[in-house]
Amino acid sequence: TPELHQLFTEWLENLESEALRVIKENSEMDAAAVSEALKISKASASLLIARLAGEGKIPCRAQVIKDGE
């Protein structure tokens, strides 16, 4: 419904703002740290980070992690 869509949009905007604040406090944060800070899943944190990077609001860099590291 339009009402639920509006509520979800507002919630997502608030979550993105909170993620921006957290990331700006420590630019070396990864998805796991954002997840913990915002009390959301790591997958949700990864999605937020990707959205913010795609919008040019934060820089994003990939890092290859070898097995066992």
Side-chain angles (χ1 to χ4, degrees):
T1 66
E3 296 85 7
L4 286 177
H5 186 266
Q6 180 61 33
L7 287 173
F8 178 76
T9 300
E10 290 173 11
W11 172 79
L12 185 57
E13 288 171 354
N14 288 335
L15 194 58
E16 286 180 346
S17 294
E18 190 64 18
L20 270 174
R21 182 189 64 77
V22 166
I23 292 167
K24 285 181 180 180
E25 288 176 0
N26 182 355
S27 61
E28 296 298 316
M29 292 186 90
D30 61 4
V34 172
S35 168
E36 186 176 322
L38 299 180
K39 308 288 191 255
I40 58 175
S41 70
K42 187 175 173 183
S44 294
S46 295
L47 178 66
L48 279 175
I49 291 167
R51 282 179 57 107
L52 293 169
E55 294 170 357
K57 294 181 180 179
I58 60 169
C60 189
R61 62 185 168 94
Q63 179 179 2
V64 176
I65 300 174
K66 297 178 185 176
D67 289 338
E69 288 186 22

